[in-house]
Each structure stands twice: as structure tokens, then as C-alpha cells.
Amino acid sequence: MENLLDNLNKQQREAVEHTEGPLLILAGAGSGKTRVLTYRIAYLINEKNVYPSNILAITFTNKAAKEMKERVQSLLEGSYDMWVSTFHAACARILRTQVEKLDGYKKNFIIFDTDDQVKVIKECLKELNYNEKNFPPKEMLSSISKTKDQLMTPGRFMDRYGRDFRLKKVADIYSLYQKKLMANNALDFDDILFKTVELFQNNPDVLQYYQNKFKYIMVDEYQDTNYCQYMLVNLLAKSHRNLCVVGDDDQCIYSWRGADIGNILNFEKDFPDAKVIKLEQNYRSTQTILDAANSVIDRNFGRKSKRLWTENGEGKPIVYYKAMDERDEGDFIIGEIDRLAFQEHRDLKSFAILYRTNSQSRVIEEMCMARGIPYKIVGGHRFYDRMEVKDVIAYLRAIQDPDGDLSIKRIINVPKRGIGKATLDLLEAYARDTGNSLYEALLFVDSIDGIGKKAKNSIKDFVRLIAELMDVAEKESASAVINEVIMRSGYLEVLEKGDDEDQERGKNIKELISAALEYEEKNEDSSLQGFLENMALMSDIDGLKEEREGITMMTLHSAKGLEFPVVFICGLEEGLFPTQRAFFDEHQLEEERRLMYVGVTRAREKLYLSSAFERTIYGSSSYTMESRFLREIPKDLMIKM
């Protein structure tokens, strides 16, 4: 083991060898935290003779847990029974043997996925006679999830918020939802953690058993823990207090998921005798890139002081490009990738393009398609492959040619208007029997037996909507038609009332208006038909096979934990990055700055930053101001192109 520890720097080795008592490892980006954790586990087993079953190591993804376990076993050259898992996997394992100690649950409990949860919420709304439009199921699930993250039961939620008219109704939904879960002997994803904490709090003997079992506890990505996870860890560590948490407050970018940066910032208050070790040596990037990251993140007040450094050398200056608009920006980025790939013999997988919102990818994707350059989207879909974009396109095709059955079939119940599968089957059967299109069958809905009055009325409303939109398409431009579609159909309204994911999807369908406006600027024919023909050619990406190497595109949030030789961060403008919401909220602004820090530190060798003088986004054009993050980087670190 001594030889193995020789592979660690001074701070890493100190973190591995400090095994007794609370330990906070502040691990800067690219500082080798995974190596420290795996070596620490191996050191405990090999040098301290700790039984592997007495170690609990928590990560945030199954992939990370699998990798950590494999690396430990490789170091020890053997297979060991260790609890190396995610929070949810560890808690589910505990509940499988202990859940009967919670009133109303049996060992063979099931875990409901999102679809199951939505169905249960809809049942609750129906029983309570609450309108889905006023209480969207996904929004209710999001509220319940956040409530469970705070360890708040339906009763406590009612006690705290019951005087508010709307929140009282949310409490009613939450209460009935939990009763229905219990009736099905089911837990949802949040319950797996919540019920484990509840189990420990209400059963001291069970808690003591697991406290004695897990004498050494390690938690990775501690800055991303929520209150429930924080409580779980502290309950388990209370006896032996051999708790090692690893994280970087400067990379806390998931507060919208419930992550509480206070958990890592206040660790020394929770454990006054904690040892704190900072890992500041970076093994990934050049010093120029790190100096830029340090300069940005230093502006944040809510952080632990640290400064990244490297032995990798100074490296190339950061390149900044001020584009005229988003197309000029995209043209520069793809052109520069083309140049570097040729001149420096780089594979396309060496390049990553990072952006603040998914909708920014559209222009760059179109440029890749036009040049035949393969690319892949991480953590999302290609713009024209996104479900919501395809839905709106189906509306446009139905307006252009209502006899296209595929388009009508896709949108007849989007957004939901009470036209279910059984009704659709009857409509399709009628169309087949009469030799008509599906749309023509809709016109004769009163002649079709078996369809209820409510569904018939919904079908008539849908037919009326399509007819009205067809009239609009005859008179207006493609962009105007798209705007009418998303407004009159109610699709945008439904998405904007939903959770964060739905709201992001709402931005994507508004970005389709930008695509139409671009088309109209370049073509005399601004009709819907012309736009659809152009888009069909643009979105024909069959030639870009997934298995081929390609440029990587992703949001800044998706980039966390990854690294690339060359990174482009685009859209560095006030209101886009940082977002407009951050202008009036210091905590939000600090998180946006942490997101910038994460983006900058993904680059190993070269970093490009860009903004546009004017940008059309979500169908609206406006002049922009350079992001404050650009001003926070010292000028001597950048060159302008």
C-alpha cells in the first residue's frame, strides 16, 4: 500500500490517511477526488484492517458507484462485500429488510415510476374534484417531491401552509396521494429516502444497528445533497463520527433540484472538530484556464476559499469572439472546429460546445447538418427530434395536409383533450371501413357509435381548431402560424404551468418560431409550405449515425464531471448567461457564476468564449450586453478574434 500512496500528492495522501473523526475534503475541479476516495477505502481495508462490510460509500450515480467499486477491487486485487452505492440504492436495501417497522408497509413493496405517480395524482384530483388545469399533475408531483426533500409529512405541510387557500388544496392532494401509495404498498423515489430517515427516527434499535455496522462513511459530491440526504448521513454517522465528505462548493449547480450548498459550507459547524483538507492541484487544465476560473468564482461570497493551480504549464490564451448574431456565432464555432480538426489532427470527439439552454443548440445543429459534420447531444435530443418540436411540426403538417393520418394521430390528444385510445381506435376503424382519411372520419364523428358525448365535443373542438389554423396559414407567414398553433392549441400554456423540464420544452417550441423567422429572412417565400419543405431537408439527419465520432453538444449543467481538450462556451450575454432571474437574486447569481466555473474547468487545453451583438431566441430579436462573467476574466488571459 505504501507504494500505492506514492502515487498521491501531499494533500491527497493526507486525506487518505486521516481515517478517524469527521473529515471535509474540499476537492477543486480536476483535483483527483475519485482517486482519493478509492484509495481511502483501500487504505481502510488493507492498512487499518477494517471489514469491508463496515464501510459505506455513497455516490450520486450508479455509474460512479460501479466505477468506484471496480477501482477499489483493482487496488486490492480481490472482490469485497462493500456498500458502494447511490443514496437511493442504499436506502432501498435497508427498507427491504426493515420496512415492516413502518406502519402500513410490507416487505414486498413496489417502487412507482413517474408514469405511475402521474396516474395516482390524477386519481387524487378526480376524487377531490380539483381541476387538472388549476393543479397540473406534474407541478403537484414537483411540489410534493420538494416537500419530501424537507422531510415534511402531509400533516406538517398542512399545519404550516393550511391557511393559504391554494397550498391547503396541495396539502389535500399530498395527503390523499400518500394514502393511495400506501394502499398499493408502494413508495415513490423520494419516499425511499424519506421513509428511511423516518425509520431511523422512530426506531432507535434499527438506527443503532446501522450506526454500528457503518463505522466509516464516505459521501461523494456532498455539495449536491438535500436536507433529507443530509439528515440521513448525520443520523448514521452520529455514533462513530468517522464521516468523510468530499465535494466542491464551487460546483454546487443543482439548487433547483433541492441541493443545499449550506450542507458543505456548514460542515464545520456540525462537526467543530472536523479536519479540513483542500485539494487545489488540478491535473486537467492549463494555468490560464484555471486563472480564468479562479477569477470568476472569487466574486462569490458564499464559498470556501481555495485557488486551483497546476503543473501543466501556462497554455494558450482564451479566445473570445464577439459575433454579430447567433448564426455568425455558430459559423465561427463550427469553422474553428473544422480548422483545428484539420490543422492539429484532432478527432471531433475532442470538441465540446456548451450552452445555457437547450434551445441554443438549434442554430449550431443546423450548421453541422449543412456541412455534414456529425455531432451528438448529451443529456437531451437533437432539436428537431425533441418530442415537443415534433408535436408542433405535426400540427403544421396537419394544417398543410389534414389527410395525413400520422400527423392527425400524433396531435389529436396533444395537449390532452379527452380523446383516448379507445376513441381513436373507433375513428381509425371508421376511416378504414369508409375508405376515408382519419381527418375525414373526425368530420363524421356523430355517425360513429361507441364514442361518448364528451369525446365527440372534444373532437369537434379539435376539427374547428385545425380549420381556423388552416385559414391563418393561407394569410400569414410560417412564424405567425407557429405562434398561433402554440397559443390556440393550449400546448404552450400547459408546458409553462409544468415543472422545470416542461418549461424548458416550452422554450424549445418557441425557438421553432426563431427558425421560421430565419427562414423568412432568407427566402421570398414565407409560407408554411416553404418552411416545412426547408425544415424537412434541414432535419434529415439520417446520414449522421450515432456510432460515428462527432462534436459533443450539451448544456452547462450536463457537462459537470466531464472534460474535453477543446471547449466552446457560447451565448455569454446578460439575460441568457447569467439568466435574467439572477439579476434580482444574489443566491441565483452566485449559482450562475458556479455554473460558469464548471464550464470553464471542463477545458483541458483550449477554451473559446463567445457572445452575439444581436440574438433571436424564442422568436424574439434583441440587442444584447456582454455577460458580466466575461468582464470578470482578466484581459491579459484572453485574445479577441
Side-chain angles (χ1 to χ4, degrees):
M1 194 71 195
E2 191 69 25
N3 291 334
L4 283 176
L5 295 187
D6 289 343
N7 296 326
L8 305 176
N9 66 35
K10 180 184 176 184
Q11 289 72 27
Q12 289 174 334
R13 182 163 183 158
E14 186 181 1
V16 166
E17 293 180 325
H18 184 88
T19 60
E20 307 305 309
L23 172 65
L24 169 61
I25 303 175
L26 291 170
S31 62
K33 70 180 178 65
T34 304
R35 169 180 285 241
V36 169
L37 279 172
T38 52
Y39 274 68
R40 196 169 191 274
I41 295 170
Y43 183 79
L44 283 167
I45 295 169
N46 202 59
E47 296 297 313
K48 294 294 184 177
N49 298 316
V50 174
Y51 287 112
S53 59
N54 290 143
I55 298 171
L56 172 64
I58 296 291
T59 68
F60 266 79
T61 67
N62 289 312
K63 181 182 176 183
K66 183 172 181 284
E67 180 187 346
M68 188 180 296
K69 197 166 187 175
E70 287 174 351
R71 287 174 68 170
V72 171
Q73 290 173 346
S74 175
L75 286 174
L76 297 175
E77 298 179 347
S79 181
Y80 294 87
D81 177 27
M82 294 176 291
W83 280 49
V84 181
S85 69
T86 63
F87 273 104
H88 287 89
C91 289
R93 189 171 172 181
I94 291 169
L95 290 175
R96 282 294 170 200
T97 61
Q98 305 290 341
V99 75
E100 289 179 308
K101 290 184 169 62
L102 295 171
D103 290 339
Y105 286 96
K106 294 174 285 191
K107 279 186 181 179
N108 61 339
F109 66 84
I110 57 176
I111 299 171
F112 274 0
D113 62 17
T114 304
D115 288 341
D116 297 324
Q117 291 175 263
V118 169
K119 288 175 185 175
V120 175
I121 288 290
K122 287 184 175 181
E123 287 177 12
C124 294
L125 295 174
K126 189 173 181 180
E127 285 186 31
L128 294 167
N129 200 26
Y130 293 166
N131 193 315
E132 281 191 30
K133 287 186 178 180
N134 296 329
F135 299 91
K138 284 193 174 181
E139 184 183 321
M140 293 302 98
L141 279 178
S142 178
S143 296
I144 290 170
S145 177
K146 290 173 182 176
T147 301
K148 288 182 179 181
D149 284 349
Q150 295 299 312
L151 297 176
M152 201 175 294
T153 62
R156 287 183 59 202
F157 186 86
M158 178 66 82
D159 290 342
R160 182 172 295 187
Y161 301 112
R163 293 180 183 178
D164 182 287
F165 177 77
R166 178 178 172 78
L167 291 179
K168 181 184 183 301
K169 291 184 180 295
V170 175
D172 291 337
I173 296 167
Y174 179 19
S175 180
L176 184 55
Y177 171 77
Q178 284 304 116
K179 288 174 183 175
K180 285 183 174 292
L181 287 185
M182 188 177 290
N184 284 279
N185 193 36
L187 301 174
D188 65 19
F189 209 54
D190 298 299
D191 278 333
I192 295 171
L193 304 187
F194 189 176
K195 292 299 178 183
T196 305
V197 173
E198 188 178 301
L199 172 76
F200 289 159
Q201 290 175 331
N202 297 335
N203 298 272
D205 57 325
V206 177
L207 175 60
Q208 186 177 22
Y209 170 80
Y210 285 100
Q211 285 177 336
N212 290 335
K213 177 176 176 57
F214 299 128
K215 293 181 171 64
Y216 296 88
I217 300 172
M218 279 162 272
V219 184
D220 192 13
E221 304 287 7
Y222 193 65
Q223 77 280 350
D224 292 334
T225 54
N226 60 32
Y227 179 69
C228 182
Q229 292 160 335
Y230 163 84
M231 284 297 296
L232 182 71
V233 168
N234 277 266
L235 283 167
L236 285 171
K238 196 169 185 179
S239 177
H240 291 284
R241 302 181 79 257
N242 296 325
L243 172 63
C244 167
V245 301
V246 184
D248 182 6
D249 50 301
D250 290 335
Q251 295 187 71
C252 181
I253 58 173
Y254 297 124
S255 66
W256 47 280
R257 286 185 191 168
D260 185 355
I261 193 172
N263 293 346
I264 193 167
L265 293 178
N266 296 324
F267 187 80
E268 293 160 272
K269 290 182 181 177
D270 294 333
F271 298 93
D273 57 333
K275 173 87 171 174
V276 180
I277 296 173
K278 297 180 183 180
L279 304 183
E280 297 172 294
Q281 183 175 357
N282 177 284
Y283 293 90
R284 176 190 302 158
S285 308
T286 66
Q287 192 60 53
T288 295
I289 290 169
L290 296 181
D291 286 345
N294 288 331
S295 296
V296 171
I297 204 64
D298 277 348
R299 305 291 181 111
N300 275 3
F301 294 102
R303 66 184 294 262
K304 301 278 190 181
S305 175
K306 54 188 171 298
R307 194 161 188 84
L308 297 179
W309 62 277
T310 186
E311 294 178 347
N312 292 342
E314 183 178 342
K316 300 286 185 181
I318 296 164
V319 176
Y320 169 56
Y321 183 69
K322 175 85 172 188
M324 288 303 298
D325 56 25
E326 68 275 10
R327 294 202 74 80
D328 182 31
E329 179 184 49
D331 191 55
F332 168 75
I333 291 171
I334 300 305
E336 196 66 7
I337 289 174
D338 227 359
R339 183 184 69 80
L340 292 174
F342 176 73
Q343 292 183 357
E344 300 181 6
H345 308 290
R346 292 182 183 270
D347 295 330
L348 290 179
K349 65 181 180 182
S350 301
F351 303 97
I353 304 171
L354 311 182
Y355 35 80
R356 182 62 181 83
T357 63
N358 275 308
S359 55
Q360 287 174 258
S361 75
R362 178 187 62 84
V363 171
I364 302 169
E365 287 185 62
E366 290 179 359
M367 294 199 166
C368 285
M369 289 185 271
R371 297 192 189 200
I373 297 175
Y375 66 92
K376 57 185 177 181
I377 304 287
V378 174
H381 300 285
R382 301 173 191 271
F383 182 80
Y384 289 108
D385 284 348
R386 288 170 184 148
M387 180 184 74
E388 60 275 12
V389 174
K390 283 191 167 185
D391 287 342
V392 176
I393 291 171
Y395 265 102
L396 300 179
R397 286 176 175 159
I399 296 164
Q400 188 66 29
D401 177 17
D403 289 332
D405 286 0
L406 282 177
S407 296
I408 293 292
K409 189 174 178 179
R410 182 179 182 101
I411 62 172
I412 193 169
N413 201 38
V414 176
K416 293 188 184 301
R417 43 176 73 95
I419 305 173
K421 185 179 182 300
T423 298
L424 187 57
D425 288 343
L426 290 169
L427 290 165
E428 289 186 294
Y430 180 86
R432 281 195 306 271
D433 293 343
T434 59
N436 290 322
S437 68
L438 181 57
Y439 183 73
E440 287 172 322
L442 301 181
L443 300 176
F444 294 98
V445 67
D446 284 331
S447 304
I448 305 174
D449 294 331
I451 298 179
K453 184 178 179 181
K454 188 174 180 182
K456 284 183 177 180
N457 288 336
S458 294
I459 290 167
K460 290 174 183 177
D461 288 342
F462 176 70
V463 169
R464 193 177 302 114
L465 171 66
I466 296 298
E468 290 172 354
L469 290 170
M470 288 167 71
D471 286 340
V472 173
E474 287 183 4
K475 305 168 188 173
E476 302 289 347
S477 65
S479 59
V481 177
I482 296 171
N483 188 59
E484 290 296 308
V485 165
I486 66 177
M487 299 304 290
R488 292 196 192 195
S489 67
Y491 196 11
L492 182 61
E493 182 184 3
V494 169
L495 293 177
E496 288 183 335
K497 283 185 176 179
D499 56 19
D500 290 339
E501 184 180 341
D502 280 342
Q503 289 174 25
E504 185 71 22
R505 290 171 58 209
K507 291 177 181 178
N508 288 335
I509 62 173
K510 286 195 282 188
E511 180 60 19
L512 199 57
I513 300 175
S514 297
L517 287 170
E518 262 180 35
Y519 164 78
E520 290 162 13
E521 285 177 10
K522 296 178 180 178
N523 297 273
E524 290 183 14
D525 177 13
S526 63
S527 69
L528 177 60
Q529 181 178 356
F531 172 69
L532 284 173
E533 287 175 1
N534 180 76
M535 190 192 58
L537 295 172
M538 186 61 72
S539 59
D540 181 12
I541 53 177
D542 293 338
L544 298 180
K545 296 179 181 178
E546 285 293 332
E547 61 266 22
R548 287 175 61 187
E549 286 186 358
I551 301 166
T552 301
M553 300 185 201
M554 71 188 92
T555 63
L556 286 143
H557 281 100
S558 297
K560 187 167 178 288
L562 303 176
E563 58 182 73
F564 301 88
V566 185
V567 169
F568 294 80
I569 303 178
C570 58
L572 277 159
E573 298 140 27
E574 291 289 293
L576 184 56
F577 188 32
T579 63
Q580 199 161 8
R581 292 191 306 272
F583 293 174
F584 311 103
D585 185 335
E586 188 63 33
H587 295 293
Q588 182 86 42
L589 180 59
E590 294 215 347
E591 179 144 338
E592 290 287 297
R593 194 172 276 116
R594 293 194 292 270
L595 194 55
M596 178 65 177
Y597 172 86
V598 166
V600 169
T601 54
R602 297 313 93 192
R604 293 208 301 258
E605 301 167 26
K606 294 187 176 183
L607 176 64
Y608 288 79
L609 308 175
S610 63
S611 65
F613 180 71
E614 180 183 11
R615 187 176 296 273
T616 301
I617 192 164
Y618 313 142
S620 177
S621 297
S622 59
Y623 295 110
T624 70
M625 285 179 58
E626 291 180 3
S627 169
R628 67 193 72 194
F629 301 150
L630 289 168
R631 300 192 297 272
E632 291 170 1
I633 297 174
K635 290 181 180 179
D636 61 346
L637 298 178
M638 288 197 294
I639 57 172
K640 291 187 178 182
M641 290 187 69

